[in-house]
Amino acid sequence: MSEVDKLTPYKDSTWYVKWAATILMIVAVSCRSVEEVPKIIDQVVSLFGLSGWFWVAWVWHDRALMVVNAIALPIIIGGIIRWLYLTL
């Protein structure tokens, strides 16, 4: 069996942000699956997770990650603005 070399940095700032953002995205998806949790919680947690992943993608110069997060961020922000407009 051949060994695979890791290409992503280990224990630098991107490593910590990557894992924190990943945990936030898991929490957001978990909130999304429970009807009793207000939608705004999912959206705000997703906003932080997506922002973290966008920053990591920017530092890594990973265009695919930048594109997906750059598209998802305004969608989430729009959802938060819509929620605020409808509830306030």
Side-chain angles (χ1 to χ4, degrees), residues 7-10 12-19 53-63 65-66:
L7 300 176
T8 58
Y10 179 65
D12 70 341
S13 59
T14 61
W15 186 85
Y16 291 102
V17 173
K18 166 183 84 168
W19 283 106
W53 264 111
F54 182 80
W55 180 80
V56 170
W58 184 272
V59 172
W60 287 355
H61 304 287
D62 188 319
R63 289 186 186 134
L65 285 175
M66 279 191 271

Side-chain angles (χ1 to χ4, degrees), residues 27-28 30-43 45:
V27 169
S30 298
C31 289
R32 194 173 306 151
S33 69
V34 179
E35 286 184 32
E36 293 79 17
V37 176
K39 186 176 182 178
I40 190 65
I41 294 175
D42 160 31
Q43 292 174 328
V45 175

Side-chain angles (χ1 to χ4, degrees), residues 39-40 43-44 46-47 50 69-87:
K39 186 176 182 178
I40 190 65
Q43 292 174 328
V44 170
S46 291
L47 177 66
L50 289 168
N69 289 292
I71 291 170
L73 276 167
I75 293 169
I76 289 293
I77 291 168
I80 292 170
I81 291 169
R82 183 174 184 271
W83 184 87
L84 289 170
Y85 177 76
L86 293 175
T87 59

